[in-house]
Amino acid sequence: MMEILLPLTSTDAIILPEDFVTLILWVAGMVLIALLSYWLQERPFQLNKRTLTWFATLSLLVLVLTPLIELLPKLSQPNPPGGVPIYHLLIFAAAPFMVASGVLGPLAGTFLAGLTGFWLAYLDTRNLFTPLVLMSAALVFSWAVRQRFQERFFRWLRFPLLAALFSL
């Protein structure tokens, strides 16, 4: 357990791209997602007792569900022919930021998705773009669950399971 919390080798770090343009695009993507989540927020985000309780609980769930609850795939090989090893499936890692996207809005959802993404990047993927992908998925999920259109497709899209599949 201590190797997860305090790695001693440099191989356990997030791999940064060497190209400066890629880092600029990453920062631009993060800013764009933050601006879109602010723009999609229906009402101002208020820090009251209810929202702080939700946010604190979901933040703790991010820290618990992301690294600790995993399924080991029995059929996957330790090193598949593609070259990237598959160690585990973190199916509950998205639950906290999807709940936050539905209950608290896109700002809280994208923030928790970014936190989950950095945690997953550190523990598993080693890719800097993991938070960007999860933040965009949280933004699409929040829009799908909280939209108010009345057509049949959009009514079906308000169901969280269908919205989660749509946000992939």
Side-chain angles (χ1 to χ4, degrees), residues 21-39:
V21 175
T22 307
L23 287 175
I24 295 295
L25 289 174
W26 181 81
V27 169
M30 294 292 264
V31 169
L32 179 68
I33 288 176
L35 288 175
L36 280 173
S37 66
Y38 178 75
W39 181 65

Side-chain angles (χ1 to χ4, degrees), residues 1 3-7 12-14 62-68 70 87-88 90 116-127:
M1 183 69 180
E3 334 69 61
I4 291 175
L5 299 176
L6 298 171
D12 290 331
I14 297 174
V62 163
L63 296 175
V64 171
L65 292 179
T66 302
L68 298 180
E70 60 187 37
Y87 295 114
H88 51 273
L90 299 169
T116 303
F118 279 116
W119 196 225
L120 276 175
Y122 178 72
L123 294 175
D124 188 36
T125 65
R126 311 283 187 256
N127 190 348

Side-chain angles (χ1 to χ4, degrees), residues 40 42 101 106 137-149 153-154 157-158 166:
L40 285 176
E42 292 107 14
S101 294
L139 190 64
V140 171
F141 178 81
S142 179
W143 171 82
V145 170
R146 299 171 71 89
Q147 50 85 19
R148 300 286 180 228
F149 299 122
F153 172 72
F154 293 108
L157 198 55
R158 280 189 218 130
F166 179 75

